[in-house]
Amino acid sequence: MGMSIDAAINSSQSSAHRPTRRTTTYRRVEAIPPQLLDQCTVCIEEQLFTQGIALLASVLTSGQGTCRPALVPSPQHLRLLATLSVHPSLTSRTTSKDRHAAADAALQYLRHLHHLTVVDESGLSQALTYQDTTPSRSKRAKLRHNNDSDEDSVPSGSINSPYAGKESLFSNADDFWAVVGWALNCSVAHPARWARWKLWLEMVLDVLESDLEDRHCRDPHTADTSLIARYLAQYADQGRNIKRRIMRAVLADGSQTSMNQFPEIWRNETRPPKVKSDELIGSKKRKLDLEQGEFGDYLDSDSDRDSPVGDLRASRNATRAPSARLSTAPDSASCHASPTADSVKSQATYGGESSIAIRKRLLAVLARLAALAPDLFLDTEDLFDLYTEFLRPLPLPVFTSFLLPSVPWLDANTQSSLIQMLLRPLLSSAAPVYNANALTQDDFETHYAPFAANGTSAVENARVAVLIEGLLRLLWETKALDTQPSSMKRLQRAATNGCKVRRDKVSWDGRKKSGPRAREEEDAMAVIEAGEARMLVMLEIAG
């Protein structure tokens, strides 16, 4: 009889697939001297971003390889860099190479800082905190009030830049999950914005993962002080329906419902860069006549139009008569007017491989926190109950990506628990009840392998086939299979019988299908047959 998955892991000293970092490589942290920080701040305030960030980077890397500490700016400066790295006026809404370079430099600095230092010592943890949890309407009203106030009245010690104030990511987003939901909506509906949000989310996930693990290594009881724990704090005492918002963010699909729940962070964020008049074929240069209010091409520069100052001027011009307002850029709402074939396909695949990889990492860090601090948000069982509610109805290709991944995103024990929780309500009532999670080969043969789904559709039985293959793969990868000839023959018989039962149950469904539903059923049958072939090959290799 084969051992259970967790016993096999313990005996082989196989660890979970989690991000680990060696604390011995971290550098001590000290604040940048005030005079030097002032120089950086002046550059930023004058929108000389590349020069200011280059100076910060030079100071950070100075003394690397020695015992000298890393000199880092304040969390306020790091928060501004986090905004610059993804703000549309420096990325997707401009063609300026200088602005693109500034956004890239800001992101690279944050990555480098994370690599060299401990998250909670470097200030990254404080910088990436969303301190204002005011509901959307109140927050946006407050931002409108700030926009109307005197631009020159800057609090002492703050950075005099719109990117540190009303244009800050942390001023415009309700919380981290609002950003996640919008960014993943972009992966489906706005590829140009997703290209930038993807890099930003990867950086933040690196911070979240290492921060949680570093705190746990130093003190197993401090997981509830981690950055990801702060992102969940406002949901801790809420009901299940409020907690569902997190899953809706992680699985945002670009639909109108999802767009309404997780709207754009900045106004007109998805507009493309405006084409300069002198780049249009056959266009004529406009004359300069200040007395008549003709400014030629002076108001068309990328740096002006794509900056918050340029947006402010545009908002003031919006009060003119409609005939005086001409725009060559489409309104952001028009992007949703008529979905194209590409957008429909992207929605069906949830943004593709890069988007699903981000979603997996988010679910994995939540599962890790649930294991380390079960009383903070949800324990693992309740969290997986929430996972199953949202994962089960996913399109079959996306469902397969999560539950039968080519690269593990959960450790074997956790993946086994999740699969079994998903399987139980899907399996035929003929399957014996199994509530233990210490899965063995005998348990697999008795409770899972020989059975079909509750329903007769190919899609339902394909889901069951994917989950059963996932369990068999875990038994094989953790060396929990009994490779004695008699045991392998019994396992092969159970697996083969199960495949036949699922095919027969689908063929028994006599309902005639047509159109997309028929194609969906055909694809599901292909999944069932391919899974059967893979399982037989797996058993042949194992035996």
Side-chain angles (χ1 to χ4, degrees):
M1 180 177 68
M3 67 180 76
S4 66
I5 290 177
D6 57 344
I9 291 175
N10 292 334
S11 65
S12 63
Q13 299 298 310
S14 174
S15 62
H17 181 71
R18 303 188 193 103
T20 56
R21 302 172 71 199
R22 294 178 299 172
T23 56
T24 54
T25 63
Y26 291 148
R27 294 180 64 187
R28 291 184 299 109
V29 170
E30 287 186 6
I32 292 181
Q35 186 175 3
L36 193 54
L37 184 61
D38 286 344
Q39 296 181 33
C40 299
T41 303
V42 168
C43 289
I44 290 171
E45 291 177 345
E46 295 298 324
Q47 297 206 27
L48 301 174
F49 300 124
T50 306
Q51 294 90 324
I53 297 170
L55 183 55
L56 289 175
S58 176
V59 173
L60 175 66
T61 56
S62 177
Q64 192 170 348
T66 70
C67 60
R68 291 170 56 188
L71 301 179
V72 301
S74 69
Q76 187 180 10
H77 286 79
L78 300 179
R79 189 176 294 117
L80 182 141
L81 294 183
T83 294
L84 294 180
S85 67
V86 76
H87 197 284
S89 70
L90 279 80
T91 54
S92 57
R93 285 198 60 185
T94 181
T95 57
S96 167
K97 293 182 179 179
D98 288 342
R99 286 180 163 263
H100 290 169
D104 291 341
L107 186 64
Q108 183 60 30
Y109 179 86
L110 295 173
R111 284 174 171 167
H112 204 179
L113 177 64
H114 164 253
H115 178 71
L116 292 176
T117 61
V118 178
V119 170
D120 58 335
E121 294 179 359
S122 66
L124 276 172
S125 183
Q126 300 93 311
L128 297 176
T129 298
Y130 298 75
Q131 296 173 338
D132 187 355
T133 57
T134 309
S136 296
R137 292 183 180 179
S138 300
K139 176 175 282 191
R140 287 168 185 165
K142 183 179 73 176
L143 285 174
R144 286 195 299 271
H145 173 73
N146 291 343
N147 292 347
D148 295 336
S149 63
D150 185 4
E151 296 280 343
D152 296 328
S153 57
V154 180
S156 177
S158 64
I159 305 172
N160 186 10
S161 168
Y163 298 105
K166 61 185 177 62
E167 288 295 318
S168 170
L169 168 63
F170 304 90
S171 297
N172 285 271
D174 289 343
D175 60 9
F176 175 67
W177 305 108
V179 176
V180 168
W182 166 245
L184 292 172
N185 273 332
C186 288
S187 74
V188 178
H190 303 291
R193 279 306 288 158
W194 170 241
R196 199 66 201 181
W197 278 118
K198 171 182 174 291
L199 299 176
W200 189 90
L201 280 176
E202 286 174 341
M203 180 273 295
V204 173
L205 276 166
D206 287 342
V207 172
L208 293 177
E209 291 166 347
S210 61
D211 178 48
L212 182 59
E213 294 301 327
D214 290 342
R215 291 178 191 270
H216 176 65
C217 289
R218 294 198 302 270
D219 183 348
H221 302 292
T222 59
D224 57 354
T225 65
S226 62
L227 183 56
I228 183 63
R230 294 185 211 171
Y231 288 163
L232 296 169
Q234 62 178 308
Y235 298 89
D237 299 327
Q238 302 296 323
R240 182 183 176 93
N241 192 47
I242 299 297
K243 292 173 181 176
R244 286 189 178 102
R245 180 174 181 268
I246 293 172
M247 286 301 297
R248 284 192 284 266
V250 175
L251 295 175
D253 61 0
S255 64
Q256 192 59 54
T257 299
S258 186
M259 288 288 191
N260 290 340
Q261 183 161 21
F262 302 105
E264 61 186 1
I265 304 300
W266 289 282
R267 183 173 178 268
N268 297 327
E269 180 179 338
T270 58
R271 281 187 180 179
K274 192 173 182 180
V275 180
K276 293 181 180 179
S277 60
D278 57 358
E279 293 176 355
L280 298 175
I281 298 176
S283 65
K284 297 181 179 179
K285 291 188 177 181
R286 287 171 285 171
K287 64 180 181 178
L288 178 65
D289 188 344
L290 299 181
E291 292 183 358
Q292 299 299 323
E294 296 290 343
F295 297 98
D297 298 328
Y298 283 97
L299 298 183
D300 287 341
S301 67
D302 279 332
S303 60
D304 178 65
R305 179 178 54 255
D306 294 317
S307 70
V309 176
D311 287 342
L312 181 61
R313 180 184 293 114
S315 67
R316 289 171 179 166
N317 289 340
T319 60
R320 299 177 183 173
S323 59
R325 298 196 306 267
L326 298 176
S327 174
T328 60
D331 188 273
S332 59
S334 67
C335 298
H336 312 305
S338 54
T340 63
D342 287 342
S343 68
V344 172
K345 180 180 178 182
S346 184
Q347 185 170 331
T349 58
Y350 278 61
E353 185 178 343
S354 65
S355 177
I356 290 177
I358 294 288
R359 300 172 197 266
K360 289 176 182 176
R361 289 181 68 183
L362 287 163
L363 294 179
V365 74
L366 289 174
R368 181 62 174 153
L369 180 65
L372 296 178
D375 297 329
L376 176 68
F377 177 62
L378 289 171
D379 61 28
T380 302
E381 184 174 356
D382 288 338
L383 180 67
F384 280 7
D385 187 49
L386 195 62
Y387 281 10
T388 58
E389 178 185 342
F390 283 83
L391 293 176
R392 191 183 303 142
L394 290 176
L396 186 57
V398 181
F399 180 87
T400 304
S401 296
F402 279 102
L403 281 310
L404 198 63
S406 56
V407 177
W409 58 280
L410 292 171
D411 65 88
N413 275 332
T414 309
Q415 183 82 2
S416 174
S417 298
L418 178 58
I419 289 176
Q420 291 179 72
M421 189 169 285
L422 277 161
L423 256 177
R424 287 165 193 155
L426 292 175
L427 277 179
S428 165
S429 57
V433 177
Y434 181 74
N435 291 320
N437 281 326
L439 186 70
T440 66
Q441 180 174 325
D442 285 347
D443 296 329
F444 177 74
E445 295 170 6
T446 304
H447 298 275
Y448 297 120
F451 300 102
N454 265 322
T456 58
S457 76
V459 173
E460 290 172 325
N461 281 276
R463 293 186 197 280
V464 170
V466 165
L467 295 171
I468 288 174
E469 182 185 351
L471 286 181
L472 179 60
R473 183 185 291 186
L474 288 172
L475 288 167
W476 179 44
E477 290 175 346
T478 58
K479 297 180 172 55
L481 292 177
D482 183 352
T483 56
Q484 293 296 323
S486 58
S487 298
M488 292 303 297
K489 189 174 295 185
R490 188 174 64 250
L491 176 59
Q492 187 171 7
R493 184 165 53 249
T496 304
N497 289 342
C499 293
K500 182 178 183 302
V501 168
R502 288 185 284 278
R503 287 200 311 272
D504 291 346
K505 192 155 190 178
V506 172
S507 62
W508 181 80
D509 183 4
R511 291 173 295 179
K512 187 176 181 180
K513 303 174 184 67
S514 60
R517 181 69 186 275
R519 177 60 185 273
E520 186 181 33
E521 292 286 296
E522 290 174 8
D523 292 344
M525 279 304 302
V527 169
I528 293 174
E529 293 168 0
E532 178 181 0
R534 286 193 299 268
M535 284 198 291
L536 294 179
V537 170
M538 198 186 310
L539 292 174
E540 184 177 345
I541 294 174

